[in-house]
Amino acid sequence: MGCCCDDDEQLLQPLNPSEIQNSDQIPPSASSTTVVHGGEAVISPMNSHFSALICHDTLRAILEKLALPDLARAACVSRIWNFVASDRELQTKAFKDPWKIKDVIGDPSSGSFWRDNSLSKFAISHRIVRGDSVASLAVKYSVHVMGIKRLNNMMSDHGIYSRDRLLIPISNPDCLINGTCYIELDIYAKREVAVLYLDGGPDPKLTTMLNRLTSERSKKRVIDSLRRSMQVDGETAQYYFAVSDGDPRSAFSQFSEDLKWEREAGLT
């Protein structure tokens, strides 16, 4: 890689303090914290300032070998670790590799989506046709009836008739192999899932509606944040958000200027 080490496997081996102190490349002061592991002291990457661990290429070579939950934890170590660990390509690879997924399409509304890639994060999209019932779908996909109801927030079987599709929990992970999943916020499940379409791709009309809902959800979140920061009502926060063309920093700046003017004019 032409960075800190030439051998990728060498990057993952425990570092011995005596070897570092004898090295001409890294001064002894580069490591400040050691832990005991297997009877001898070694440097812990999570508790040291070892210079190799702030090199982008080296850090990426290490982090790309981590499972997704560990990658999410690594993002909390420092700013540079967060920068590398939050790389979309790295997150996508860690998300799909355990299940041998071909591709993941779409952008989640929250970065927390990338913290977990357990099987419950995936679902099959089933378009409702005449004659379908929750029980028949449970038999078809080899899942429990309650699993379908729980995933789709259904209180009874009658809820199926008011929907265009149902999300089906995945019982056999083999169906994900070489598949393409779409990150979607389902309006009934009220959660983001990686959806697998067994009969092609998503319906363009449904995708447009889901994108609009995702955008509205993100906008509402920003307005709520502005409302708390400004300590005003929702309508005031929405007004400043609108006049700033959706820029929350500009909205807060404009609000501060107006508030300052009112105080100087003796209006408050």
Side-chain angles (χ1 to χ4, degrees):
M1 293 181 297
C3 180
C4 299
C5 296
D6 293 327
D7 187 355
D8 287 348
E9 294 182 358
Q10 187 179 0
L11 298 174
L12 301 179
Q13 295 176 354
L15 302 172
N16 192 306
S18 61
E19 294 177 359
I20 294 175
Q21 292 176 2
N22 294 330
S23 171
D24 295 330
Q25 298 179 350
I26 304 172
S29 60
S31 59
S32 59
T33 306
T34 61
V35 296
V36 176
H37 177 73
E40 61 180 15
V42 298
I43 294 178
S44 170
M46 301 297 288
N47 298 301
S48 73
H49 299 291
F50 180 46
S51 60
L53 298 179
I54 60 173
C55 172
H56 281 221
D57 291 342
T58 304
L59 193 54
R60 184 182 180 89
I62 296 174
L63 297 185
E64 69 181 4
K65 299 179 184 296
L66 298 180
L68 190 66
D70 295 327
L71 187 63
R73 296 187 188 100
C76 301
V77 174
S78 65
R79 289 185 178 181
I80 188 170
W81 281 50
N82 179 272
F83 178 79
V84 178
S86 299
D87 180 75
R88 174 59 189 271
E89 183 180 349
L90 209 63
Q91 291 176 325
T92 302
K93 182 179 183 300
F95 185 84
K96 66 183 184 179
D97 277 3
W99 308 111
K100 300 179 181 180
I101 298 171
K102 180 180 179 181
D103 198 9
V104 178
I105 299 175
D107 296 310
S109 62
S110 172
S112 61
F113 179 87
W114 301 111
R115 295 176 184 172
D116 172 44
N117 63 339
S118 61
L119 201 58
S120 61
K121 201 79 170 184
F122 301 87
I124 295 173
S125 177
H126 175 86
R127 181 166 291 280
I128 303 297
V129 297
R130 184 181 296 274
D132 279 344
S133 67
V134 177
S136 66
L137 294 180
V139 173
K140 178 179 179 178
Y141 293 99
S142 300
V143 296
H144 294 289
V145 170
M146 285 306 300
I148 296 178
K149 288 184 176 180
R150 189 178 300 111
L151 179 57
N152 293 275
N153 284 326
M154 296 174 59
M155 299 300 294
S156 69
D157 294 358
H158 300 293
I160 191 174
Y161 302 116
S162 61
R163 310 185 184 197
D164 294 325
R165 76 159 184 185
L166 283 182
L167 294 179
I168 309 297
I170 293 180
S171 58
N172 182 11
D174 289 344
C175 68
L176 293 172
I177 298 178
N178 293 325
T180 298
C181 294
Y182 297 81
I183 300 176
E184 298 178 0
L185 174 63
D186 189 83
I187 57 177
Y188 294 107
K190 297 181 180 179
R191 55 177 291 195
E192 283 184 309
V193 289
V195 181
L196 176 68
Y197 290 84
L198 300 179
D199 53 352
D203 184 349
K205 293 182 179 179
L206 179 61
T207 301
T208 301
M209 180 180 64
L210 291 174
N211 289 339
R212 186 180 71 251
L213 289 172
T214 301
S215 177
E216 292 176 353
R217 182 184 181 187
S218 299
K219 178 181 176 181
K220 184 177 182 299
R221 186 179 300 168
V222 172
I223 292 175
D224 286 343
S225 178
L226 283 174
R227 177 181 56 80
R228 292 191 296 269
S229 299
M230 297 175 177
Q231 298 182 350
V232 295
D233 58 86
E235 292 184 355
T236 302
Q238 188 170 2
Y239 165 77
Y240 282 100
F241 184 74
V243 298
S244 63
D245 295 326
D247 184 352
R249 290 190 178 183
S250 177
F252 190 82
S253 177
Q254 182 64 45
F255 171 76
S256 299
E257 291 179 3
D258 290 350
L259 189 62
K260 181 180 179 182
W261 178 85
E262 289 181 355
R263 288 173 177 171
E264 291 177 350
L267 300 178
T268 57

